[in-house]
């Protein structure tokens, strides 16, 4: 169950990052870029182009919620949580690979998943610490995601007429 929970959490984190990137690229930058291009095509002076570009940048900053420091802080915390979890999984994988390589090099492939004391290395890694860490990371990630959604929802309610 710990390994499955790790994969589920990893997929949730990937999904969040991909959706956030999609929002920034296609819902903000691409739409605002088209508006800027239309202004550029109609521009007569360099000042018109510069004003169109400034409007583009300002609209992107607003749509990215960059003026809302509490939301940006939550986004950074979520991304930091994703990075921390990825680093943790990489460390677990590296530890396991090192132990596995030791047994392969010593020609003990038959017992490659067992450590010197005879314990199953994979089971040891997947029980206890890993399970606890994954549950803790899942709780942290979910609470930050809920806070993000709550803040954005309140922001949209405050700005609706």
């Amino acid at each position: 169950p710990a390994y499955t929970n790790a994969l589920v959490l990893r997929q949730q984190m990937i999904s969040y990052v991909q959706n956030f990137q999609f929002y920034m690229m296609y819902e903000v930058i691409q739409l605002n870029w088209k508006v800027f291009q239309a202004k550029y095509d109609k521009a007569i002076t360099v000042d018109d182009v510069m004003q169109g570009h400034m409007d583009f940048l300002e609209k992107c900053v607003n749509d990215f919620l960059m003026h809302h420091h509490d939301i940006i802080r939550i986004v950074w915390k979520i991304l930091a949580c994703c990075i921390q979890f990825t680093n943790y999984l990489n460390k677990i994988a590296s530890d396991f690979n090192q132990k596995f390589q030791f047994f392969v090099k010593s020609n003990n492939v038959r017992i490659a998943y067992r450590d010197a004391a005879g314990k199953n290395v994979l089971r040891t890694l997947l029980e206890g610490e890993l399970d606890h860490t994954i549950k803790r990371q899942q709780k942290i990630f979910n609470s930050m995601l809920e806070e993000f959604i709550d803040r954005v929802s309140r922001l949209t309610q405050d700005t609706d007429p």
Side-chain angles (χ1 to χ4, degrees), residues 95-152:
D95 290 350
F96 179 75
N97 284 335
Q98 286 176 355
K99 290 178 180 179
F100 182 75
Q101 289 300 322
F102 168 76
F103 291 113
V104 170
K105 288 179 183 174
S106 64
N107 294 323
N108 284 330
V109 177
R110 188 171 58 84
I111 58 166
Y113 291 106
R114 301 203 177 278
D115 64 9
K119 291 183 179 178
N120 183 308
V121 174
L122 183 59
R123 183 172 293 139
T124 302
L125 285 173
L126 295 180
E127 292 175 354
E129 179 193 346
L130 180 62
D131 191 46
H132 173 73
T133 301
I134 291 168
K135 287 178 182 175
R136 189 182 79 239
Q137 287 292 117
Q138 180 78 53
K139 186 176 180 179
I140 292 168
F141 180 73
N142 287 341
S143 68
M144 285 190 286
L145 201 54
E146 287 173 11
E147 183 179 0
F148 173 75
I149 292 168
D150 181 57
R151 296 274 175 108
V152 171

Side-chain angles (χ1 to χ4, degrees), residues 20-147:
F20 194 70
Q21 285 177 327
F22 179 87
Y23 168 74
M24 290 189 302
M25 287 299 301
Y26 296 102
E27 299 291 329
V28 176
I29 293 175
Q30 189 176 45
L31 292 177
N32 290 318
W33 184 255
K34 288 179 181 179
V35 172
F36 169 68
Q37 283 180 321
K39 288 182 181 181
Y40 178 80
D41 291 341
K42 294 176 184 175
I44 297 170
T45 66
V46 173
D47 288 336
D48 294 339
V49 174
M50 289 177 59
Q51 184 59 48
H53 188 256
M54 291 301 293
D55 293 344
F56 164 75
L57 293 175
E58 183 63 29
K59 184 75 170 123
C60 286
V61 166
N62 286 334
D63 290 352
F64 284 151
L65 306 172
M66 298 291 261
H67 293 302
H68 301 279
H69 299 290
D70 55 335
I71 292 174
I72 294 302
R73 195 176 353 257
I74 295 168
V75 169
W76 279 108
K77 284 181 180 180
I78 292 171
L79 294 174
C81 178
C82 294
I83 291 168
Q84 181 183 13
F85 186 68
T86 299
N87 290 340
Y88 177 75
L89 289 182
N90 287 340
K91 181 186 177 306
I92 292 293
S94 176
D95 290 350
F96 179 75
N97 284 335
Q98 286 176 355
K99 290 178 180 179
F100 182 75
Q101 289 300 322
F102 168 76
F103 291 113
V104 170
K105 288 179 183 174
S106 64
N107 294 323
N108 284 330
V109 177
R110 188 171 58 84
I111 58 166
Y113 291 106
R114 301 203 177 278
D115 64 9
K119 291 183 179 178
N120 183 308
V121 174
L122 183 59
R123 183 172 293 139
T124 302
L125 285 173
L126 295 180
E127 292 175 354
E129 179 193 346
L130 180 62
D131 191 46
H132 173 73
T133 301
I134 291 168
K135 287 178 182 175
R136 189 182 79 239
Q137 287 292 117
Q138 180 78 53
K139 186 176 180 179
I140 292 168
F141 180 73
N142 287 341
S143 68
M144 285 190 286
L145 201 54
E146 287 173 11
E147 183 179 0

